[in-house]
Amino acid sequence: MEALVASAVAVMTAVGVYLILRRQTFPVVLGTAMLSYAVNVFLFATGRLVVNMPPVLSDTATGYTDPLPQALVLTAIVISFGMTAVVVLMALGSFIASGDDGIDLGEGRE
Amino acid sequence: MNHWIIAPVVLPALLAPLLVLLARNDLRAQRLLSGAGTVGFAVLAGVLLVQASAGGIGVYRLGDWPAPFGIVLVADRLATLMLGLSAALALAVLAHVIGTGWDARGRHFHALFQFQLMGLAGAFLTGDAFNLFVFFEVMLIASYGLMIHGGGRARLRAGVQYVVMNLAGSVLFLFALGTIYAVTGTLNMADLAVKAAAVPASEAGLLRVGAVLLLLVFAIKAALVPLQFWLPATYASAPGPVAALFAILTKVGVYAILRMFTLGFGVDGPAGDIGGALLLPAAGVTLLLGMIGVMGARDLGQMAAFAVIGSVGTLMLGVAMFTPAATGAALFYLIHSTLAAGAMFLVADLVRGQRGGLRLVPGPRMANHGLLAALFFAVAIGVAGMPPLPGFLGKLLILDAARAEPAVWAIWAAILVGSLLAVAGLARAGAALFWATSDAAVPEPSQPLALAGIAGLLAALVALTAAAGPVSGWLNAAAAALYAPAPYIAAVLGGGAP
């Protein structure tokens, strides 16, 4: 399971980094979304990976999974969701204002 | 428990939605509310500053949960200093915005402005690393909105770059926090200080990775070389007063580095040496690159942006030494450079308002030409760090603190050469803007409030020079407290009872 989670984080990060280095805004937006998925899975794993354990301590529980990373992931998801919405709107605004969806500043093409 | 501590976060957080809901179509009401709110923010910052000056460390436990399980806000000298500085800059910027009518060029300026203040206050006051991330995001979302205020092609294009850069930074921030949490099991800064010191040698490598990632994140915010590329286009394209407000945003990165590497990781901890080792060369290069940019810039907005990079370089040279004396000196320079950079952007905005652009080419003679030239001259003296404005003292203090360093000659050379380049670049800009003019007339705009904002910042700078002795003593005490974090840790962790 460790290998699966680790490779999932790695692949998503690699895809995200590749995409945010593209020159059009649409792949860049996808890339930021990809990166935020990667970091969410990563955060989830920071409390150590265990299966079938309750997130709270009780008298009958034999162990527990760390609940804090789950709260952190929830916060991170909400924030990255909002951020994605913002960047989509800004990319759209930039596309409408300038007529192409390049991410460069394109000096001299006023 | 001292409830004043959370007030600077709550006040703008309540005011911003009120501005949107109650006054969305009434600019007068927006200005009135926003102005009153910002004055209130400044008063609260002042109250906290006075309280922290008494030497105590105020701790506010949200929901009265004991640390490290709940989130804490901590008002110590450094945090309240940054809060006071934000408030002072915000007042001047708001006066300028209302005076020049920038807030009428798009919607919801004041609401975004208040959210920006909320993010700043939270980032400075929080004692929890994850909460710092959240307030960073509040601050950034507001800054995205402010940056593209007024719209326009160039601004939106630069805005997209700014957002993408910061989204990548946010992801890196989360990776860093996740790594640190995986090693230490805590994100409360005071608790982290305790746990990081006790990390076994076998795990220290992972903690160091987390520390480097965190350093990179803060270096993006502070625009340190090689992560400064986003800044010139962003600041030069943002509306003038917004760029002036952003002068404090780079300082948030500096503040966070200072806080995490003196408290969270501890100067003597397993990750304590990373800050200094990586920051010192980066800061020197940042300083020189910024000042070379000042020399080479083709318009005034770009030049002011490069001056911000250069001043961050100087500032980080002081911080990267990680000694109490150098940090005290850096804090002095921090106050100065924030106010001076803010004033520079505000003056540039007034020039833009009359000339229509900021390119450093001969243009029409402006209506209040002499006044603007005088203001530019005063601000340029401040940015370059010449007497009588306090940048000169700040640099002198940093030079003095560097004498104990092995790299003393490199630091001295960087600061002195950087200052020379800045003087030359600013003189060139002033000559191009104010001496080579045609006789075309430009109508006189009446903007007393905008001028009052700049005058206020300049007055604050003069006051800082006049009161340099006591201020410097106060800052040295603040810096000394950073390197002796035991009282801070005890105040945060010591018992759950209020």
Side-chain angles (χ1 to χ4, degrees), chain B residues 305-322:
Chain B
F306 275 109
V308 168
I309 295 184
S311 75
V312 165
T314 312
L315 185 53
M316 286 310 297
L317 277 176
V319 169
M321 288 183 244
F322 283 108

Side-chain angles (χ1 to χ4, degrees), chain B residues 147-196:
Chain B
M147 183 198 154
I148 56 168
H149 180 80
R153 181 192 166 278
R155 201 167 285 154
L156 278 164
R157 294 286 275 228
V160 171
Q161 284 195 353
Y162 174 61
V163 175
V164 170
M165 187 75 191
N166 277 298
L167 284 182
S170 303
V171 169
L172 208 57
F173 203 158
L174 285 172
F175 273 118
L177 292 179
T179 311
I180 292 166
Y181 180 76
V183 181
T184 60
T186 185
L187 286 172
N188 179 295
M189 292 179 197
D191 196 31
L192 184 62
V194 177
K195 299 271 166 63

